[in-house]
Amino acid sequence: MQIGKGQVLELILEDGCHYVRVSCPPNLIPSPGQYLLASHASDVPLPVPLFYTDSAHQGFIAAGLAPVTWNPGFELHLRGPLGRGFTLPLSARKVGLVAFDDAPGRLRGLISQILKQDAAVVLVCDTAPDNLPDDVEVQPLSTLSDIVEWADFLAFDVTRENLHQLKERLGKRNQLTAMNEAQVLIRTPVPCGGVADCGVCAVNLKSGWRLACNDGPIFDWRELE
């Protein structure tokens, strides 16, 4: 984990998701699934978690709901990268990216990795993403069961509150894990960023309670209770 300063370069609203183009030192740029805590001097005490979506000159483009006080040129206090990111298997050849209850911004950072290893990728969501590579196929959530059968690796993005709905939608977890490798980004507040172990972001796993701020926010599907 590093501490440093960055700057808001641009605020973007695209495919129903808020993005922020941030300049920052290279060592602060998170990998897909990790997050960076960002705050401005005028903000309320809680920092904003920013997730990597794409590279940009002198920094990166982040998915995250910026406070209304942020404007281009604002200096940011940054801490990160934090948490555990996605691990794309080298053997993956058919990848499904599933944005279960939100826009797919936090999953977009995986696309370049997938294409670099010549794998096919399908983005499953109920929004209309913009500016995707031509090789990315987009399907609605109604096709989720078909994508699960097709993919050899799945990456999900879901809130902690809606995790049970995703489980019900997929049916028996044992059937899924027998056929696929799967990881899930569990979205939950991470106000302390692992400093205080406050427990606000606790997730129940088979091995017991874990904190998404440190042990996640990416979890192996097989670990979920």
Side-chain angles (χ1 to χ4, degrees):
M1 182 190 70
Q2 306 289 328
I3 295 174
K5 293 183 178 180
Q7 188 178 52
V8 177
L9 298 180
E10 185 180 7
L11 301 175
I12 305 166
L13 178 60
E14 186 176 278
D15 58 62
C17 187
H18 293 268
Y19 298 94
V20 185
R21 186 160 64 93
V22 177
S23 68
C24 68
N27 62 334
L28 285 171
I29 299 176
S31 65
Q34 287 186 306
Y35 65 100
L36 187 68
L37 286 183
S39 60
H40 180 260
S42 65
D43 291 344
V44 294
L46 295 181
V48 176
L50 300 177
F51 289 83
Y52 176 90
T53 68
D54 202 353
S55 59
H57 180 61
Q58 296 182 339
F60 71 108
I61 298 174
L65 183 57
V68 294
T69 56
W70 284 16
N71 287 300
F74 271 25
E75 183 180 82
L76 296 176
H77 301 280
L78 305 173
R79 182 162 64 88
L82 298 166
R84 173 188 170 195
F86 285 107
T87 303
L88 180 67
L90 293 176
S91 60
R93 289 296 174 266
K94 296 181 291 184
V95 179
L97 305 178
V98 183
F100 185 67
D101 52 14
D102 198 9
R106 288 164 294 271
L107 297 172
R108 291 181 68 141
L110 279 170
I111 291 175
S112 61
Q113 294 184 18
I114 296 166
L115 296 179
K116 282 181 181 178
Q117 63 185 53
D118 294 323
V121 55
V122 176
L123 179 60
V124 184
C125 60
D126 278 339
T127 61
D130 299 320
N131 301 320
L132 290 174
D134 293 338
D135 293 331
V136 179
E137 181 181 346
V138 180
Q139 292 290 341
L141 278 171
S142 60
T143 66
L144 180 56
S145 59
D146 294 331
I147 302 305
V148 168
E149 291 183 6
W150 168 82
D152 54 35
F153 177 75
L154 291 156
F156 297 98
D157 178 6
V158 63
T159 61
R160 180 176 54 181
E161 292 74 18
N162 288 336
L163 183 58
H164 70 285
Q165 295 182 22
L166 175 59
K167 292 177 181 177
E168 291 176 357
R169 187 78 170 265
L170 292 172
K172 295 182 179 180
R173 284 175 289 164
N174 289 338
Q175 291 180 351
L176 184 147
T177 55
M179 298 173 59
N180 322 92
E181 290 190 64
Q183 296 169 11
V184 53
L185 191 163
I186 299 180
R187 301 195 322 275
T188 181
V190 286
C192 75
V195 172
D197 290 343
C198 63
V200 169
C201 64
V203 176
N204 190 20
L205 305 182
K206 292 178 181 177
S207 57
W209 290 96
R210 295 291 183 269
L211 300 180
C213 62
N214 274 330
D215 305 309
I218 308 303
F219 295 94
D220 191 295
W221 185 267
R222 298 177 181 88
E223 298 175 353
L224 301 180
E225 180 56 51

